[in-house]
Amino acid sequence: MDGFPSTGLLNAIASECLIRSSGTELFAVIDSPEFPPLSIISNSMPHFPARLHVNEGLKVAFFTSEFNIDPRMQSTMGKKILDWAMQNGCRLIISAAGILGAKQDKGDNDSVIPDEKRIFAVTSTPSAAKIANQNNFIQLQSGTIGGIPATLLNEGSLLGLDVIVLLVNTMPDVPDFRASALISSAVTKLVPGLYCDIASLLGEAETIENKIKQIRDGHKESSYIT
């Protein structure tokens, strides 16, 4: 799974939940002179900002990071993920991206976070499309996708590799835990045995939503939420 941030932190949050909940081990670190000199401190220990986690029992791997890779490097990173997947016999590559929520009209009853729970999918091959349909994901008919997910789709179609990019509504400028929970749940359908503590993500979603609601109610004119 591609866990590099795409639209916001959607991929990173979903991957972190799946990694923590399923007991996935750190397998390798990913580094480059072009990466920022950054250390992620977790449980009092330093970690490289880009990592590869593997669960041997479930035969699943996660490329994950907390920082946004420079756009000039995203194509290269996408190809590296595909190279590793081919070398290790991976049958399916999963990524995700957010569809920015529609702009809300002013009104006290408007939802801050879009309540749309449909999951869309874009696939690289007919066999990947069949998998998406079997899991009731809605095939996106038209649009554009950028970043690493775009490279995975384009290169996957040329190489005949099954790639599924999951799409959900998300909010700009905030960590969208609710959208991440939807992605995590969708990934568990695609990978039997994989688990995510969805309740913890939804708990975070409620906290974030409440904070945003307070900002909108108290500072409607100056809030960055429009």
Side-chain angles (χ1 to χ4, degrees), residues 29-105:
V29 298
I30 306 164
D31 199 18
S32 166
E34 303 300 322
F35 286 179
L38 183 68
S39 181
I40 305 299
I41 310 303
S42 177
N43 296 323
S44 302
M45 293 295 294
H47 298 277
F48 279 77
R51 304 168 301 280
L52 173 61
H53 294 259
V54 172
N55 187 312
E56 291 284 357
L58 297 176
K59 302 299 181 184
V60 62
F62 296 88
F63 288 83
T64 186
S65 179
E66 286 81 11
F67 76 96
N68 289 305
I69 292 179
D70 189 298
R72 294 170 296 181
M73 296 187 63
Q74 290 175 356
S75 178
T76 299
M77 181 58 67
K79 291 177 182 178
K80 289 293 184 183
I81 292 174
L82 289 172
D83 287 344
W84 190 91
M86 288 189 294
Q87 292 170 11
N88 288 273
C90 296
R91 292 181 294 177
L92 178 65
I93 297 100
I94 306 170
S95 186
I99 304 172
L100 292 181
K103 187 173 181 178
Q104 298 284 334
D105 292 330

Side-chain angles (χ1 to χ4, degrees), residues 125-146:
T125 62
S127 53
K130 183 177 179 180
I131 296 171
N133 289 332
Q134 289 172 343
N135 287 276
N136 298 318
F137 303 143
I138 304 168
Q139 289 278 347
L140 187 69
Q141 297 300 311
S142 62
T144 59
I145 293 176

Side-chain angles (χ1 to χ4, degrees), residues 150-192:
T151 297
L152 296 177
L153 284 170
N154 293 342
E155 295 293 327
S157 67
L158 290 176
L159 298 170
L161 294 175
D162 288 347
V163 177
I164 297 178
V165 175
L166 302 167
L167 304 167
V168 296
N169 279 334
T170 189
M171 282 286 289
D173 304 322
V174 296
D176 195 339
F177 292 90
R178 188 173 299 281
S180 299
L182 290 174
I183 291 297
S184 299
S185 179
V187 173
T188 60
K189 294 180 180 180
L190 296 170
V191 184

Side-chain angles (χ1 to χ4, degrees), residues 2 11 17 33 41 66 110-111 137 139 147-148 152 160 176 194:
D2 160 34
N11 277 11
C17 178
I41 310 303
E66 286 81 11
D110 285 340
S111 173
F137 303 143
Q139 289 278 347
I148 293 176
L152 296 177
D176 195 339
L194 193 62

